[in-house]
Amino acid sequence: MVQLSGEPFADIIYEKSVGEGIAKITINRPERRNAFRPETIIEMQHAFSDARDDPNIGVIILTGQGTQAFCSGGDQAVRQIGGYVGRDKVPRLNVLDLQIQIRRLPKPVIAMVAGYAVGGGHILHMICDLTIAADNAVFGQTGPKVGSFDAGYGCSMMARLVGQKKAREMWFLARFYSAQEALRMNLVNTVVPLDQLERETVKWSREILRNSPTAIRLLKSSLNAIEDGHAGLQDLAGHATMLFYHNDEALEGRNAYLEGRAPDFSKFKRLP
Ligand code: 2NE
């Protein structure tokens, strides 16, 4: 991995292994168990946007610095009336925008989890396409203990993953679950020894990168579509338009317009 120089990031580390096609975003606040504040989220949004736009990147890994936590959710020290407050003094819940950004990003995002993935950090791993957990990982919601909740993806995504009864248990009791329990609950894809976490995550990334990027893109969008309603269909439809724009039939329409003539679509078959 190459750490990007010149990037003004304070709360995250953003690295790219361009030859490999892998980007890695690390929440870098280990002294707070990688809790996020508004600035952390803004930096993550920039990094995810760069990884989305970079045609050399095919997989993005999201992780936390150190082995004690993936992410412990919103930084309670900056939580005030109306949201989490950054330097601009504006209360925000901008992690919700980040969730949507990850959800719609047309490349797989893998959560690489060591230690605690709790509160809003638990929702971040759930929104990722895959989760590789170290054997020291701990999962759970803490919101009800600290007077908070995420009733968006935090509920709907969880219920899809673990079922309605278990989701209610996770939210109402706010217990913590071991990596092995999370595996049994379908919250994670695999559990590996801590010292093999990065190697295993890179192995999964390389396997994905060997496959068709367009197939992966359409599959992610299709798997989201039925749950995301109009927004999911709009995303899937956008991919259909992108594919059509590669097609001579679409080019004929554009060319005819630019050349000031009637389009001739007669050579394009109407397939069953
Ligand atoms: C994560 C956990 C279980 C770790 O426990 P432990 O014993 O390993 O560490 P400790 O000593 O609790 O934490 C180390 C330092 O990190 C800070 C702590 O205050 C402590 O600071 P010092 O005493 O050393 O100064 N720290 C840890 N998590 C923090 C956090 N989220 N905000 C601010 N400081 C934090 C344990 O630390 C824990 O339970 N943390 C709180 C988890 C939590 O409740 N998160 C917020 C949930 S609400 C949310 O994320 C959310 C939402 O519901 C809706 C929208 C947006 C966000």
Side-chain angles (χ1 to χ4, degrees):
M1 288 277 180
V2 179
Q3 189 173 348
L4 297 186
S5 56
E7 291 288 349
F9 293 139
D11 286 9
I12 69 166
I13 301 166
Y14 180 45
E15 299 162 286
K16 289 199 266 192
S17 174
V18 175
E20 285 259 47
I22 301 171
K24 183 172 152 198
I25 298 168
T26 305
I27 305 172
N28 189 24
R29 305 188 74 221
E31 71 286 354
R32 291 210 181 257
R33 297 293 184 267
N34 296 318
F36 54 77
R37 54 186 174 180
E39 291 86 354
T40 320
I41 299 296
I42 290 167
E43 291 183 7
M44 291 169 79
Q45 287 172 317
H46 281 300
F48 273 110
S49 176
D50 179 90
R52 175 182 179 140
D53 287 347
D54 186 339
N56 295 308
I57 295 300
V59 171
I60 301 149
I61 297 170
L62 175 61
T63 193
Q65 180 72 321
T67 58
Q68 289 185 296
F70 169 77
C71 175
S72 64
D75 186 331
Q76 298 306 295
V78 301
R79 182 177 149 196
Q80 293 181 22
I81 291 171
Y84 296 83
V85 174
R87 279 186 293 276
D88 63 4
K89 311 283 184 222
V90 177
R92 297 175 198 281
L93 285 164
N94 56 351
V95 72
L96 306 179
D97 300 320
L98 177 66
Q99 292 169 6
I100 292 170
Q101 185 181 11
I102 295 172
R103 179 83 172 169
R104 291 188 67 127
L105 207 149
K107 302 173 182 180
V109 181
I110 304 179
M112 183 170 85
V113 178
Y116 291 101
V118 301
H122 186 256
I123 295 157
L124 279 181
H125 104 83
M126 286 197 298
I127 206 83
C128 291
D129 298 291
L130 299 166
T131 299
I132 314 288
D135 52 9
N136 78 333
V138 177
F139 299 87
Q141 297 303 151
T142 57
K145 289 183 185 167
V146 297
S148 183
F149 58 90
D150 182 332
Y153 280 126
C155 286
S156 58
M157 180 73 65
M158 187 193 290
R160 290 277 182 177
L161 289 172
V162 304
Q164 282 283 352
K165 293 279 185 187
K166 204 71 185 174
R168 284 157 213 253
E169 174 190 314
M170 286 193 84
W171 272 112
F172 296 173
L173 280 68
R175 285 182 183 167
F176 284 169
Y177 301 83
S178 71
Q180 286 300 337
E181 287 172 311
L183 184 62
R184 284 195 291 276
M185 290 157 63
N186 288 332
L187 265 177
V188 305
N189 294 88
T190 190
V191 178
V192 296
L194 177 59
D195 64 359
Q196 289 169 34
L197 180 62
E198 181 128 13
R199 183 189 308 173
E200 188 69 12
T201 309
V202 169
K203 181 167 170 272
W204 283 53
S205 302
R206 287 178 179 152
E207 280 187 51
I208 293 169
L209 287 163
R210 280 199 288 273
N211 293 331
S212 154
T214 307
I216 301 292
R217 180 187 183 103
L218 269 289
L219 285 165
K220 173 165 177 174
S221 183
S222 299
L223 287 162
N224 289 347
I226 197 158
E227 296 177 8
D228 289 358
H230 279 283
L233 281 178
Q234 192 261 1
D235 187 59
L236 187 58
H239 297 310
T241 305
M242 182 202 73
L243 290 176
F244 183 54
Y245 272 25
H246 285 81
N247 189 305
D248 286 344
E249 185 179 336
L251 291 174
E252 168 60 12
R254 182 206 62 184
N255 291 344
Y257 174 78
L258 292 177
E259 292 162 15
R261 60 177 172 82
D264 177 9
F265 292 117
S266 61
K267 65 180 172 186
F268 301 108
K269 295 189 171 60
R270 292 178 171 80
L271 297 174

